Amino acid sequence: MENDHLVTLLERTARMDEKLDSLLEARDKHDQRIGKLEKHIHMGYGVVAVMTFMISTFAEFFWSKIFGKHS
């Protein structure tokens, strides 16, 4: 009778261990996806910065061609 109780506890512990492993694996995959997303966001910041610089440079050039340089 006591052995049955110990076997049941061991089985439950094994299932909990499997569930914990599954949760940890899912968390690791989620962390990897978050890392990829953060990388894409930082790349987006770089693209926006470069495009802003290019547009402002072109606008300054275009403005000076139309209205002349104002110093």
Side-chain angles (χ1 to χ4, degrees):
M1 180 111 162
E2 190 174 313
N3 285 340
D4 291 340
H5 183 64
L6 288 175
V7 170
T8 303
L9 284 174
L10 287 172
E11 288 173 349
R12 289 180 64 195
T13 304
R15 283 195 304 266
M16 288 172 60
D17 188 47
E18 289 174 7
K19 287 180 182 179
L20 180 61
D21 287 344
S22 174
L23 285 171
L24 290 173
E25 186 178 319
R27 187 199 66 185
D28 290 343
K29 287 180 183 177
H30 181 70
D31 287 348
Q32 289 174 352
R33 286 192 300 244
I34 295 283
K36 287 179 184 177
L37 179 64
E38 287 176 342
K39 181 180 173 185
H40 283 29
I41 288 170
H42 290 297
M43 285 174 41
Y45 287 148
V47 168
V48 168
V50 169
M51 292 301 293
T52 302
F53 173 75
M54 291 173 61
I55 290 170
S56 64
T57 303
F58 174 75
E60 184 179 346
F61 170 77
F62 188 70
W63 187 269
S64 68
K65 287 294 179 186
I66 292 178
F67 298 106
K69 293 185 179 182
H70 297 290
S71 300

